[in-house]
Amino acid sequence: MLRSRTLSGVEADLAALRASAERAGVTLACLFASSDEYEADIIRERRASGAFRPRRRWRHHVRLAALACGLALAFLLA
């Protein structure tokens, strides 16, 4: 009787070990076939979060407005 318990305990341990190995294999598996796919996914995620939006050019407009005001003031004072 002692031997059958030991054998069933070993079988249970082996089954648990196989299940753990399967979970570890799935967990460590890479979702991407190549580094190009990984980088493309990173860029896609960053674009979705707004990282690559064009910069606003409000500074350029402010500089042009200041230059126009300065020229108009110089023209009026001269």
Side-chain angles (χ1 to χ4, degrees), residues 4-71:
S4 66
R5 281 187 179 178
T6 306
L7 185 58
S8 65
V10 170
E11 288 175 358
D13 289 341
L14 283 174
L17 182 63
R18 285 184 188 131
S20 295
E22 278 186 36
R23 281 191 300 256
V26 170
T27 303
L28 297 176
C30 185
L31 298 175
F32 306 101
S34 67
S35 62
D36 292 333
E37 287 182 12
Y38 174 72
E39 290 173 3
D41 192 47
I42 294 285
I43 291 171
R44 190 177 315 113
E45 289 295 323
R46 288 183 181 169
R47 281 186 180 157
S49 69
F52 297 116
R53 289 184 183 156
R55 294 184 178 174
R56 295 182 183 169
R57 299 182 184 229
W58 63 272
R59 292 180 186 161
H60 183 67
H61 293 299
V62 169
R63 287 181 187 154
L64 285 177
L67 178 65
C69 288
L71 288 174

